[in-house]
Amino acid sequence: MRALIVALLVTTAPPACADTIAATSRITAVTVYPDGARLTREVSFTAPEAGPHELLVTDMPLDSDPGLIRLVGSKGLQVGAFALRADRLPPRETPLTDAQRAAKADVEAAEAEAVRAQLALEAIQAKVEAAEAQVRFLASFSGALPDGATPETIKAMAGMIGAETLAARQAALAARAELPPAEKSVAEAQERLAKAQAARDALPSADMDYTALSVAVTAGAAGAQTLTVTQYLGNASWQPVYDLNLTRQGGDRLTLDRSVLVTQHTGEDWDGVALTLSSSRPSEQAAPSQLWPELRSIGPEVEPEALARKSLGGADMAMQDAPVAEAAPAPVTAGMALEGDTVVYNYPEPVTVATGAENLRLALDSLDFTPVVKAVAVPRLDRTAFVTARFTNGSDEPLLPGQAMLFREGVLVGQTWLDVIAPGVETDVGFGALETLRVKREMPKRAGGETGIFVSANRQSESALITVENTGPEAWPVRILDQVPYSEQDDLEIAFAASPKPSETDVDGQRGILAWEFDLPAGGKQTITLEQTLTWPEGMVLR
C-alpha cells in the first residue's frame, strides 16, 4: 500500500515551478498515543510573488510516510501535489534555536577564558624557570680570576655574584608565589567550560538524518505564508503510572497520584511543544492468593487386574485411561488497552522531550477516595493476612491501565498493575502483608492417630480448624476465605458444616468458595471449624 502511495505521489510530482523556496519546520504540538504520535509542524516562508512555487521543507524525519502526512495552507495559499525526497537535497546548515545559540556563545566565551588563564599560568612558569636558570648559572660559575686581580676586585666580583644570585632567587620565589592563584584560575576556567559544554549538550539537538518534503504551492499574493504539516509516526508511547497511598489514621483514606511516562524515539527532539496525551513490585506478595473452584466426580471402580492389564498395555494406553485433572484457569494479565470513552490530557505547560528519552515522567493530578479497608486472609495458602482497600471510581473519567506503586501510611509495600477502572466501578487493591494478623489452618488428629482426612470405601470426610490472631495494637475488620469441593453429579453428595456459619457462600459466583467476616480487636483471637463429607455409591471411585 505504501509503495502504491509513493508511486502515485511520484507520478503527480510538483510541476515545474517558477522557483524553489527552501524552508524548515517547527514542531508546535504533539499528541502521543499509547503506540505512536501525531506531530503538528508549522512551516513559515515568504513567497516572493504571487503564483506557483515549489516549497522544499528540508527537516522531515527520515522515516516519514507520505500516506500519513496531511497539509493545510494558510489563507490565500493553495496546496497541490507533494512528495518526499531522500536524495539530491540542497545543503543546509544545522539549525540552532535561541537557547542553542546562547549556549554556543557561552561555550566560546568559556573556551577563550580558559585559554587566557592557561597562557597567564605559562607566563608565570616561564618567569620561575628563567630565575632558576640564572641561579643555577651563578652557582656553577668557576671562571679564573682576571690578571692583576686585587683583593678589592675579587671582593667586588664575589659581591656581584652574591647579589645577582640573591636577586634571581627572590625573583624565582616571587614568581612561585604567583603560581597558586594562576593554577586556581585555570581550574575554575576549565570547570566553567565543562559546565557550559554540558549545558549545550543537554539542549535538544536538531542534527538528524532527514528527508525533504517537496510541495507544490500557489500563493495568492507575495508575502509571508504558513504551511501546517500533520504527520503520524511510530516509536513513541505513553502510559499512566500511579502512586496509591492508603492511610487509616483519622479515618480510612486512599490518595491516588497520577503521572505519565512518555517515551519517544522518532529521531528528532520535541522542543517546547504543546503536549496532548490521548488514551486509548517490591518482589513480595502484595495481594491475597486466588482460590479456584474444586470439581470432584465419581466413576466406576477399576479392578486391580484391570489396572495390571493397562500397565502392560504400554504408556500410551495408560495415558488414555488415566483420569484427566481439571486445568486451573489461566492467570489474567492486563494489556495496554482502553475500554470506554477516549480520555485526553492536555499538559498545561510546554514540554521538551528529546529523542531517545525513556520514560520521561510528567505529573498530572491527585484524586482522593474513601475506601473500605479489610484484612483478607486465605489460610489454606497463606500464613498472614493482607490489607485490601475497595474503592469506587467517583470521578467522571476512567482510570487507565497502568503500573501502581503501593504505599501504606507512606511506606512502600508493593506494586501492582491496575486494569481500566470505569467511572462508578468498584475495585479491590491489595496493600501488602499485615504481619500482626497471623492465620493458621490445621487438620486436627482423630482418635487413633488419623489425620483430618478420613477415607473409606465410598466416603471421605475432612475437618479443619482455622485460627486468626491479632497480635498488633489495632483492631481490624477481617475477611477469611476458604473452600469446600462441589459436585455436578447427583450420585456424589457433598455436605459441609462450619462454625460459625460463613457470611457468604459461592463468593463472586465461584462454587464452593466460602467467606467469613468479623471484627477482630487488638490482641483478639477467632477460630473457625470447617467439616466436609463426600459420599458416593459402592463400586465408584472419587476423582
Side-chain angles (χ1 to χ4, degrees):
M1 181 64 183
R2 176 173 177 173
L4 176 60
I5 294 174
V6 172
L8 290 174
L9 290 174
V10 170
T11 58
T12 58
C17 299
D19 53 9
T20 298
I21 304 172
T24 58
S25 64
R26 182 175 68 89
I27 302 175
T28 58
V30 176
T31 299
V32 184
Y33 303 96
D35 185 12
R38 181 183 68 196
L39 276 60
T40 300
R41 304 171 179 273
E42 287 189 359
V43 183
S44 298
F45 65 97
T46 301
E49 59 184 16
H53 306 277
E54 180 190 12
L55 178 63
L56 195 64
V57 184
T58 59
D59 57 355
M60 300 291 291
L62 188 61
D63 60 349
S64 297
D65 186 338
L68 301 177
I69 294 177
R70 302 292 182 269
L71 306 178
V72 176
S74 57
K75 184 177 180 179
L77 183 67
Q78 182 180 351
V79 179
F82 67 90
L84 292 173
R85 287 171 45 182
D87 56 2
R88 294 177 296 167
L89 299 178
R92 67 166 189 170
E93 295 182 1
T94 301
L96 297 178
T97 64
D98 293 341
Q100 288 171 324
R101 281 190 287 270
K104 181 180 179 182
D106 291 342
V107 170
E108 292 174 349
E111 288 174 341
E113 183 182 356
V115 170
R116 289 193 296 270
Q118 184 64 38
L119 291 176
L121 175 61
E122 292 176 357
I124 296 172
Q125 290 172 336
K127 289 167 61 177
V128 173
E129 292 173 359
E132 289 178 343
Q134 187 177 6
V135 170
R136 290 194 299 271
F137 172 77
L138 293 172
S140 63
F141 179 76
S142 59
L145 295 173
D147 295 337
T150 63
E152 289 76 11
T153 58
I154 294 174
K155 183 178 179 180
M157 181 178 293
M160 180 272 296
I161 293 175
E164 292 297 327
T165 300
L166 177 60
R169 288 188 179 278
Q170 290 176 337
L173 290 173
R176 283 184 178 278
E178 299 176 18
L179 283 176
E183 291 171 344
K184 182 179 179 180
S185 297
V186 170
E188 291 175 348
Q190 291 176 344
E191 182 179 358
R192 284 191 289 272
L193 175 59
K195 290 181 178 179
Q197 290 172 335
R200 178 198 60 190
D201 296 340
L203 291 173
S205 173
D207 185 18
M208 65 172 186
D209 294 330
Y210 70 100
T211 187
L213 176 66
S214 177
V215 186
V217 297
T218 302
Q225 302 287 348
T226 300
L227 177 70
T228 300
V229 181
T230 302
Q231 68 175 139
Y232 296 84
L233 296 172
N235 298 324
S237 64
W238 78 279
Q239 66 178 28
V241 290
Y242 304 101
D243 286 347
L244 274 70
N245 187 22
L246 178 65
T247 58
R248 301 199 69 203
Q249 297 179 1
D252 294 341
R253 179 181 177 184
L254 179 63
T255 301
L256 185 148
D257 294 323
R258 295 195 292 183
S259 302
V260 294
L261 300 179
V262 180
T263 298
Q264 74 107 336
H265 296 271
T266 61
E268 61 181 331
D269 299 320
W270 304 341
D271 185 17
V273 300
L275 181 65
T276 299
L277 304 171
S278 177
S279 59
S280 37
R281 325 178 164 151
S283 58
E284 297 298 326
Q285 185 176 358
S289 300
Q290 177 69 52
L291 289 174
W292 301 105
E294 180 182 357
L295 174 65
R296 304 300 299 269
S297 63
I298 56 176
E301 185 175 0
V302 180
E303 298 294 333
E305 293 80 2
L307 289 175
R309 288 194 300 271
K310 290 178 181 178
S311 63
L312 293 174
D316 292 341
M317 182 178 293
M319 289 296 293
Q320 293 174 3
D321 293 336
V324 179
E326 181 184 21
V332 178
T333 57
M336 192 59 182
L338 175 66
E339 299 176 2
D341 295 335
T342 298
V343 178
V344 173
Y345 299 103
N346 295 310
Y347 203 72
E349 299 177 353
V351 175
T352 296
V353 186
T355 184
E358 290 283 355
N359 294 336
L360 173 68
R361 183 160 180 161
L362 303 172
L364 282 183
D365 56 12
S366 180
L367 301 175
D368 288 327
F369 303 100
T370 302
V372 176
V373 180
K374 294 180 181 179
V376 180
V378 183
R380 183 181 288 266
L381 301 175
D382 302 325
R383 290 297 172 261
T384 186
F386 293 84
V387 178
T388 65
R390 170 169 290 188
F391 69 96
T392 301
N393 179 11
S395 67
D396 296 331
E397 61 186 72
L399 300 179
L400 304 178
Q403 192 75 16
M405 303 298 290
L406 305 173
F407 297 84
R408 200 167 75 226
E409 305 296 344
V411 178
L412 179 65
V413 294
Q415 56 181 325
T416 189
W417 178 269
L418 291 184
D419 288 328
V420 62
I421 306 174
V425 172
E426 283 189 336
T427 301
D428 285 313
V429 179
F431 281 85
L434 184 60
E435 300 295 343
T436 58
L437 209 65
R438 309 302 298 176
V439 296
K440 184 166 55 175
R441 191 180 194 275
E442 300 176 302
M443 304 181 72
K445 299 287 185 179
R446 291 174 177 266
E450 299 96 343
T451 62
I453 300 180
F454 181 76
V455 181
S456 63
N458 63 342
R459 179 185 179 91
Q460 182 188 88
S461 61
E462 175 183 328
S463 63
L465 178 64
I466 300 171
T467 304
V468 187
E469 184 176 5
N470 185 358
T471 62
E474 183 180 4
W476 279 91
V478 178
R479 180 178 173 87
I480 300 296
L481 295 172
D482 210 290
Q483 68 182 134
V484 292
Y486 74 97
S487 171
E488 294 180 345
Q489 295 176 300
D490 293 338
D491 290 339
L492 176 58
E493 298 180 0
I494 300 177
F496 77 91
S499 179
K501 292 184 178 180
S503 308
E504 185 180 354
T505 59
D506 295 344
V507 175
D508 295 331
Q510 299 183 94
R511 298 178 64 181
I513 306 301
L514 311 175
W516 290 263
E517 293 194 2
F518 50 87
D519 292 329
L520 192 61
K525 187 175 182 179
Q526 175 74 43
T527 59
I528 299 172
T529 59
L530 177 62
E531 296 183 351
Q532 63 185 43
T533 303
L534 290 77
T535 57
W536 58 92
E538 294 284 351
M540 310 292 281
V541 294
L542 179 66
R543 295 174 180 168

